[in-house]
Short mmCIF file of all heavy atoms in Angstrom, two decimals:
data_model
loop_
_atom_site.label_atom_id
_atom_site.label_comp_id
_atom_site.label_asym_id
_atom_site.label_seq_id
_atom_site.Cartn_x
_atom_site.Cartn_y
_atom_site.Cartn_z
N LEU A 395 22.55 1.84 -11.93
CA LEU A 395 23.84 1.49 -11.32
C LEU A 395 24.13 0.00 -11.47
O LEU A 395 25.26 -0.39 -11.80
CB LEU A 395 23.84 1.87 -9.84
CG LEU A 395 23.95 3.36 -9.50
CD1 LEU A 395 23.68 3.59 -8.03
CD2 LEU A 395 25.34 3.88 -9.85
N GLY A 396 23.12 -0.82 -11.22
CA GLY A 396 23.32 -2.26 -11.32
C GLY A 396 23.75 -2.69 -12.70
O GLY A 396 24.61 -3.57 -12.86
N ARG A 397 23.14 -2.08 -13.72
CA ARG A 397 23.52 -2.41 -15.11
C ARG A 397 24.90 -1.89 -15.45
O ARG A 397 25.74 -2.60 -16.01
CB ARG A 397 22.50 -1.81 -16.08
CG ARG A 397 22.81 -2.12 -17.55
CD ARG A 397 21.88 -1.38 -18.49
NE ARG A 397 22.10 0.06 -18.43
CZ ARG A 397 21.12 0.96 -18.38
NH1 ARG A 397 19.87 0.57 -18.35
NH2 ARG A 397 21.40 2.24 -18.33
N GLU A 398 25.17 -0.62 -15.11
CA GLU A 398 26.41 0.01 -15.55
C GLU A 398 27.64 -0.51 -14.81
O GLU A 398 28.75 -0.50 -15.35
CB GLU A 398 26.31 1.53 -15.39
CG GLU A 398 25.25 2.18 -16.26
CD GLU A 398 25.46 1.90 -17.74
OE1 GLU A 398 26.63 1.99 -18.20
OE2 GLU A 398 24.49 1.57 -18.43
N LEU A 399 27.47 -0.95 -13.57
CA LEU A 399 28.63 -1.40 -12.80
C LEU A 399 28.87 -2.90 -12.92
O LEU A 399 29.85 -3.42 -12.39
CB LEU A 399 28.45 -1.02 -11.33
CG LEU A 399 28.28 0.49 -11.06
CD1 LEU A 399 28.24 0.77 -9.58
CD2 LEU A 399 29.39 1.29 -11.73
N ALA A 400 27.98 -3.61 -13.62
CA ALA A 400 28.20 -5.03 -13.88
C ALA A 400 29.40 -5.20 -14.81
O ALA A 400 29.62 -4.39 -15.71
CB ALA A 400 26.95 -5.66 -14.49
N GLY A 401 30.18 -6.22 -14.59
CA GLY A 401 31.32 -6.46 -15.48
C GLY A 401 32.56 -5.68 -15.11
O GLY A 401 33.54 -5.68 -15.87
N LYS A 402 32.55 -4.99 -13.98
CA LYS A 402 33.72 -4.26 -13.48
C LYS A 402 34.32 -3.33 -14.55
O LYS A 402 35.43 -3.56 -15.06
CB LYS A 402 34.79 -5.23 -12.98
CG LYS A 402 34.31 -6.08 -11.81
CD LYS A 402 35.40 -7.01 -11.29
CE LYS A 402 34.89 -7.82 -10.10
NZ LYS A 402 35.94 -8.75 -9.58
N PRO A 403 33.63 -2.26 -14.89
CA PRO A 403 34.13 -1.34 -15.93
C PRO A 403 35.42 -0.65 -15.52
O PRO A 403 35.66 -0.42 -14.33
CB PRO A 403 32.98 -0.33 -16.07
CG PRO A 403 32.26 -0.38 -14.76
CD PRO A 403 32.36 -1.81 -14.31
N ARG A 404 36.23 -0.31 -16.52
CA ARG A 404 37.49 0.40 -16.25
C ARG A 404 37.26 1.89 -16.06
O ARG A 404 37.98 2.55 -15.33
CB ARG A 404 38.46 0.18 -17.43
CG ARG A 404 38.81 -1.27 -17.71
CD ARG A 404 39.65 -1.87 -16.60
NE ARG A 404 40.90 -1.16 -16.39
CZ ARG A 404 42.02 -1.35 -17.11
NH1 ARG A 404 42.03 -2.24 -18.09
NH2 ARG A 404 43.12 -0.68 -16.84
N LEU A 405 36.25 2.44 -16.77
CA LEU A 405 35.89 3.86 -16.63
C LEU A 405 34.41 3.98 -16.36
O LEU A 405 33.59 3.36 -17.05
CB LEU A 405 36.23 4.63 -17.92
CG LEU A 405 35.70 6.08 -17.98
CD1 LEU A 405 36.44 6.97 -16.98
CD2 LEU A 405 35.81 6.64 -19.39
N ILE A 406 34.05 4.77 -15.34
CA ILE A 406 32.65 5.05 -15.03
C ILE A 406 32.40 6.54 -15.20
O ILE A 406 33.02 7.36 -14.51
CB ILE A 406 32.30 4.62 -13.59
CG1 ILE A 406 32.56 3.13 -13.39
CG2 ILE A 406 30.85 4.97 -13.27
CD1 ILE A 406 32.56 2.70 -11.94
#
Side-chain angles (χ1 to χ4, degrees):
L395 286 170
R397 181 187 66 225
E398 296 303 316
L399 301 185
K402 298 182 179 179
R404 301 292 301 277
L405 171 69
I406 301 166

